Amino acid sequence: MDYQAMLEFHKEKEAAVTIAVLEVPWDEASRFGIMNTDSEMKIVEFEEKPKNPKSNLASMGIYIFNWKMLKKYMVEGINSGIDMDDFGKNVIPAFLDNEERVYAYPFKGYWKDVGTLDSLWEANMDLLDQESELNISDKNWKIYSKNPSMPPQFLSKTADVKDSLVVEGCLIKGKVRRSILSPKVIVGEGTEIFDSVIMGNVRIGKNVMIKKAMIGEGAVIPDNSVIDEKGEIAVVGENEVYGGAV
């Protein structure tokens, strides 16, 4: 997000609070804080995870406050014994209850809440979608990440990799399709990996089948294992030895 554009909107509206919002699918709206607005994008009602949402404008958890007003409401709330650490439950409602100028800034672009396993998996898969707005090759909006100091990935003569991201330190001897492999992942010969996210330092043995899974950092997958929840996302935890023994 370009925060400067949001700040200009905040100043233009002479807002006490501006909240970045994004339209979400209606069937997911009850997972979010929902903003109900008028035609000028002024927020007239805020609902925290409503069962029956009146709009699909979800809070992105990005706020711009008038500092003096925020301090005033925080101090008043704390002095009254109210927990002011919760913006959605107490801070934003305090501004609305006093009819302050609270506006919704409509964001257009890529954003995804990764508070569920499904959404986290989807966000990773978006990296592999050439049509996705999440473009790690966009030089105008760079995504910075940690670059470990290690050798480049090595694909053996038995490796078969397509539509995947395989980064430094990986050793691949099997088949990888539409998956993301983090640093220092080892994939044994005869192993097949589909639609999965493999965290760093994972060791995957020979003749393993992995479909639609998220494998935690440092996990060990023994030879001949099958990880497939038949359409659901399979999970192997951090430093876990799948099946209990190698």
Side-chain angles (χ1 to χ4, degrees):
M1 170 184 281
D2 184 349
Y3 294 118
Q4 185 62 42
M6 182 177 174
L7 180 58
E8 292 302 321
F9 176 91
H10 176 79
K11 292 178 179 178
E12 176 187 329
K13 297 295 186 180
E14 298 181 345
V17 187
T18 298
I19 303 171
V21 298
L22 185 80
E23 291 187 4
V24 297
W26 278 95
D27 59 351
E28 295 184 16
S30 59
R31 290 178 46 219
F32 300 93
I34 296 297
M35 308 297 161
N36 301 318
T37 68
D38 63 17
S39 60
E40 300 297 320
M41 296 306 291
K42 185 176 181 181
I43 297 172
V44 296
E45 183 182 19
F46 170 71
E47 297 180 287
E48 181 66 28
K49 299 180 180 179
K51 291 183 178 180
N52 299 298
K54 300 172 186 176
S55 86
N56 64 337
L57 292 177
S59 169
M60 297 170 64
I62 300 172
Y63 313 101
I64 296 177
F65 284 93
N66 175 293
W67 163 238
K68 290 183 178 180
M69 297 182 71
L70 174 61
K71 181 179 179 181
K72 171 180 176 292
Y73 282 108
M74 293 286 283
V75 170
E76 288 179 354
I78 291 170
N79 288 340
S80 299
I82 299 172
D83 178 9
M84 298 303 283
D85 290 340
D86 193 324
F87 282 98
K89 184 178 180 181
N90 295 317
V91 178
I92 302 301
F95 277 78
L96 291 173
D97 289 345
N98 287 278
E99 300 183 351
E100 304 289 3
R101 296 175 62 83
V102 182
Y103 281 84
Y105 172 73
F107 174 69
K108 302 294 182 181
Y110 184 88
W111 181 82
K112 186 180 290 290
D113 174 79
V114 291
T116 67
L117 184 61
D118 285 343
S119 60
L120 178 59
W121 179 84
E122 289 168 2
N124 278 275
M125 292 299 105
D126 285 343
L127 287 169
L128 303 174
D129 184 355
Q130 296 297 307
E131 303 300 321
S132 172
E133 293 180 277
L134 181 58
N135 180 9
I136 60 176
S137 298
D138 186 353
K139 294 182 179 180
N140 295 317
W141 199 257
K142 295 181 179 180
I143 298 175
Y144 293 94
S145 63
K146 180 180 178 180
N147 293 314
S149 178
M150 59 184 63
Q153 66 269 47
F154 181 81
L155 278 62
S156 77
K157 62 182 180 180
T158 60
D160 182 4
V161 180
K162 292 182 180 178
D163 298 325
S164 299
L165 291 177
V166 180
V167 300
E168 294 95 329
C170 290
L171 171 59
I172 313 299
K173 296 182 179 180
K175 177 188 287 187
V176 180
R177 293 287 188 274
R178 197 168 177 265
S179 296
I180 297 176
L181 275 59
S182 302
K184 298 178 67 176
V185 170
I186 298 174
V187 178
E189 190 170 339
T191 286
E192 298 184 354
I193 301 174
F194 300 90
D195 304 311
S196 295
V197 181
I198 315 297
M199 302 301 182
N201 297 294
V202 170
R203 292 191 290 127
I204 302 172
K206 298 178 181 179
N207 302 312
V208 173
M209 173 62 72
I210 300 176
K211 291 185 177 180
K212 197 175 182 181
M214 299 194 71
I215 311 298
E217 184 172 358
V220 177
I221 313 299
D223 295 349
N224 305 308
S225 298
V226 176
I227 302 176
D228 182 3
E229 295 294 335
K230 307 302 181 182
E232 300 297 320
I233 300 171
V235 178
V236 176
E238 182 178 355
N239 296 317
E240 179 180 344
V241 178
Y242 184 75
V246 179

